[in-house]
Amino acid sequence: MDETKIKKLKELQDLYKTNVLSEAEYARMKQEILNTDSEPVTSSSSESEQQETRAQMVPKKSHKTRNIVIGVVALVLICGAAGVGYASLNHKPAIEPATSSKTSHASSSETASSSSESSASSEVKTENQANNLSDSQKKQINDEFLDWASDRAQMGNMAVGEWYFDHGAAGRGDWYANTPDGEVQVQDQGTPGKVAFPIHDIGGCVFFTDKNGITGREQIQRSFAENYSMMDQDKPITKYLLGDNGKVYELKLGDGEKTTTTSGFGEYGDDGQHGDYGPKETFEVSQDKDAQAELQRLIKKYE
């Protein structure tokens, strides 16, 4: 094969490799070159044929380029349409998550509201958890609480007794104590009556220092005339009030101030209204965590 054909074939192959010519075009043109007269040709003739071949190739290349351009444009149009379609399709889901989030938020709010209502219901139950205890059960709870308090008193070199409240001659009104949670009824005389009080006492006790050095649980001689004469009034005296809401309330007295069985308590008027003999002091929720836990344990025991 002469050098001219070889050169043409190489050029043709380069065009094919660079994707200027399709496979069919490459095969056709290759066959045309091979079928060309193989007699020697002059240089000018060779150059003329070469130019003619290139002229034949150029349209093919332009045609191929045009096809590529058209393909690219079509691809751009297709992608653009797909993008618009995607955006259109995704427009609704873009809102749906927000709706879902809103629904989720509403659901969370409803759950929180339900939880809050449940918590409130639980609190109401706690506030009245021992309302159904009988008088004998209340006495048992108070006795066992006093046994527990006796050990605490001994550790502090103090005495403890159950005579935390009493009074002499009085009217017909109910006796009560003030606390941060409301009034605690300690004696029911029907005026205004049990239903008028949010909390009622289970019992109570009083911690003090005995003048005779007695420690632990002490059976205080109940003489209203003598009252707390056995107590050293110059030292701390603390009253614990056990509420049927499951809380222990505490009132610190003594330390040089006269303390009696009525300290911390008051009486309703004979008409069932607040009168002139209300409590002068207010019980606070005791910070004694052990006492709180002990009362809870005893209430659960007798529920």
Side-chain angles (χ1 to χ4, degrees), residues 166-172 175 224 262 267:
D166 202 350
H167 64 83
R172 296 189 299 272
W175 284 78
F224 191 73
T262 57
E267 180 187 18

Side-chain angles (χ1 to χ4, degrees), residues 50-66:
Q50 184 175 349
Q51 289 176 358
E52 182 181 353
T53 301
R54 286 175 180 171
Q56 292 176 352
M57 293 177 183
V58 168
K60 300 296 182 180
K61 181 175 180 181
S62 299
H63 178 70
K64 183 67 176 181
T65 303
R66 183 184 63 186

Side-chain angles (χ1 to χ4, degrees), residues 9 122 126 148:
L9 288 172
S122 176
T126 301
W148 170 85

Side-chain angles (χ1 to χ4, degrees), residues 4-21:
T4 302
K5 287 185 177 182
I6 293 173
K7 186 175 181 180
K8 287 182 179 180
L9 288 172
K10 284 184 178 180
E11 290 179 352
L12 188 66
Q13 189 175 34
D14 290 340
L15 292 172
Y16 173 68
K17 286 182 179 180
T18 55
N19 294 321
V20 173
L21 296 176

Side-chain angles (χ1 to χ4, degrees), residues 30 38 40-41 62 72 78 132 206 237 248:
K30 178 180 179 182
S38 57
V41 293
S62 299
V72 170
I78 291 170
N132 296 323
V206 55
I237 298 173
V248 178

Side-chain angles (χ1 to χ4, degrees), residues 54-272:
R54 286 175 180 171
Q56 292 176 352
M57 293 177 183
V58 168
K60 300 296 182 180
K61 181 175 180 181
S62 299
H63 178 70
K64 183 67 176 181
T65 303
R66 183 184 63 186
N67 289 341
I68 291 171
V69 171
I70 292 172
V72 170
V73 171
L75 182 62
V76 169
L77 291 174
I78 291 170
C79 290
V84 172
Y86 179 78
S88 176
L89 289 173
N90 279 310
H91 179 66
K92 186 175 180 180
I95 296 175
E96 287 178 352
T99 304
S100 176
S101 175
K102 183 177 180 180
T103 303
S104 176
H105 178 69
S107 177
S108 298
S109 297
E110 289 173 3
T111 302
S113 176
S114 175
S115 176
S116 177
E117 289 175 3
S118 176
S119 176
S121 175
S122 176
E123 287 178 5
V124 170
K125 184 177 180 181
T126 301
E127 289 296 319
N128 300 281
Q129 63 177 317
N131 271 350
N132 296 323
L133 291 173
S134 66
D135 290 341
S136 62
Q137 287 176 320
K138 289 182 179 181
K139 186 178 186 309
Q140 286 176 304
I141 289 174
N142 200 51
D143 284 343
E144 290 187 40
F145 188 88
L146 275 163
D147 287 339
W148 170 85
S150 176
D151 293 335
R152 295 291 297 273
Q154 283 185 322
M155 287 189 288
N157 200 32
M158 297 180 74
V160 63
E162 62 180 337
W163 202 26
Y164 68 98
F165 162 72
D166 202 350
H167 64 83
R172 296 189 299 272
D174 295 350
W175 284 78
Y176 66 101
N178 284 327
T179 75
D181 299 320
E183 296 176 348
V184 179
Q185 184 189 48
V186 294
Q187 186 178 51
D188 182 12
Q189 300 191 109
T191 308
K194 183 176 181 178
V195 294
F197 296 90
I199 313 169
H200 314 85
D201 76 324
I202 292 175
C205 61
V206 55
F207 291 89
F208 60 96
T209 299
D210 188 278
K211 291 179 179 179
N212 297 318
I214 299 172
T215 61
R217 185 169 180 175
E218 182 176 342
Q219 295 295 333
I220 302 175
Q221 202 62 28
R222 294 197 178 203
S223 169
F224 191 73
E226 295 182 5
N227 214 277
Y228 285 165
S229 59
M230 80 295 292
M231 299 180 183
D232 186 343
Q233 302 268 342
D234 291 328
K235 293 185 179 180
I237 298 173
T238 302
K239 290 187 177 185
Y240 273 12
L241 179 61
L242 313 183
D244 65 357
N245 61 347
K247 291 184 181 181
V248 178
Y249 297 96
E250 181 178 321
L251 178 61
K252 295 183 182 298
L253 301 160
D255 282 329
E257 294 187 12
K258 183 175 177 59
T259 301
T260 68
T261 53
T262 57
S263 296
F265 302 98
E267 180 187 18
Y268 266 79
D270 290 347
D271 59 355

